[in-house]
Amino acid sequence: MSDKNSTVIDGFIFENEAEAVQAAKEAEGIKHIKSKMEMDNPEMVLQIYNKIIQQQLFETAVGFAYLKDLQDYLISVPYVAKDAVLPIPVRHKALEISIRKKMKIPVKTVCEKPKKVVEKRDAGYRMKYRVTLFLAVIMAVSMAGMFIITASSNNLNILNYENKIIDKYAGWEKQLQEREEAVKMREKELGITYGE
């Protein structure tokens, strides 16, 4: 029943080598997910299941079988809302390609996104990048300007407060010494002496 070109992965026979490779990758991914996922936590299982569906991680029967098992489990849990469990979208690339070949429709349209859509998306990202870059440059220049103004300002601020306070206390100390000297001179003139 199986050809030399067919490959068996997780109980499924794949005649297309590319699909077999993809199925093997999906089988490895499923093993990894199973090792990390706690099946006794339906909330976590639901989140992971929905994320896998939204990202369309699985394309082969191996992945779809695993998704169906998760879907059946989630539907059986009474407190998980049935509408929260997303349906499984099924696309079979090899089948689509063979049908398109028979109908003489170009195959590349199945696998590739139309150029206009890709170009629009790229143009959108370029525009967002440019705006973000422009705003980042303005912010950097503004911050540099604020630091320059702060560093060159005579007002007391966090950058120069220590020097200002030291200068102020040094001035007070000098004034106190001058006054003390003046008081001692005046006492000497008046002949006032203290028992020393």
Side-chain angles (χ1 to χ4, degrees):
M1 177 144 187
S2 65
D3 292 340
K4 291 179 184 178
N5 296 336
S6 62
T7 307
V8 177
I9 298 176
D10 280 0
F12 293 96
I13 294 177
F14 294 94
E15 293 179 8
N16 182 318
E17 184 179 342
E19 279 191 19
V21 169
Q22 180 64 28
K25 287 179 185 176
E26 289 179 13
E28 284 300 312
I30 290 168
K31 285 178 187 175
H32 178 73
I33 292 170
K34 283 181 177 179
S35 70
K36 300 288 182 186
M37 188 165 34
E38 299 171 16
M39 289 301 287
D40 57 341
N41 184 352
E43 295 291 327
M44 184 173 101
V45 174
L46 177 65
Q47 288 176 357
I48 292 172
Y49 169 82
N50 285 340
K51 194 170 192 175
I52 291 170
I53 295 290
Q54 289 166 350
Q55 294 179 355
Q56 297 180 353
L57 295 179
F58 297 134
E59 299 174 351
T60 67
V62 173
F64 293 143
Y66 179 66
L67 286 175
K68 185 61 180 159
D69 289 343
L70 289 179
Q71 186 184 58
D72 291 343
Y73 166 74
L74 290 168
I75 290 172
S76 72
V77 176
Y79 62 87
V80 172
K82 304 304 179 234
D83 58 337
V85 180
L86 296 176
I88 302 169
V90 178
R91 271 189 72 213
H92 195 276
K93 285 185 182 177
L95 182 61
E96 286 181 24
I97 291 170
S98 67
I99 290 171
R100 288 187 180 269
K101 281 181 182 176
K102 288 178 185 174
M103 296 176 68
K104 296 182 182 178
I105 299 173
V107 176
K108 66 179 183 180
T109 58
V110 176
C111 301
E112 298 176 6
K113 292 184 178 179
K115 273 190 170 182
K116 289 181 182 177
V117 173
V118 173
E119 288 172 1
K120 270 187 180 178
R121 187 184 71 213
D122 289 347
Y125 285 131
R126 276 191 220 116
M127 184 63 174
K128 288 178 184 177
Y129 171 76
R130 288 179 184 151
V131 168
T132 305
L133 181 64
F134 178 72
L135 291 175
V137 168
I138 288 176
M139 296 279 287
V141 168
S142 299
M143 287 176 56
M146 287 190 303
F147 279 117
I148 290 169
I149 290 169
T150 302
S152 64
S153 173
N154 289 332
N155 294 336
L156 186 63
N157 58 47
I158 197 156
L159 298 176
N160 64 5
Y161 79 93
E162 185 177 8
N163 293 335
K164 294 277 186 180
I165 290 174
I166 290 172
D167 291 345
K168 193 174 192 179
Y169 284 122
W172 286 353
E173 186 177 3
K174 188 176 179 183
Q175 284 178 351
L176 284 174
Q177 287 176 352
E178 288 173 359
R179 286 185 181 178
E180 189 177 339
E181 290 294 321
V183 168
K184 283 182 183 178
M185 297 269 290
R186 184 78 174 143
E187 285 176 351
K188 219 180 213 185
E189 287 175 7
L190 295 174
I192 303 173
T193 58
Y194 294 103
E196 291 179 14

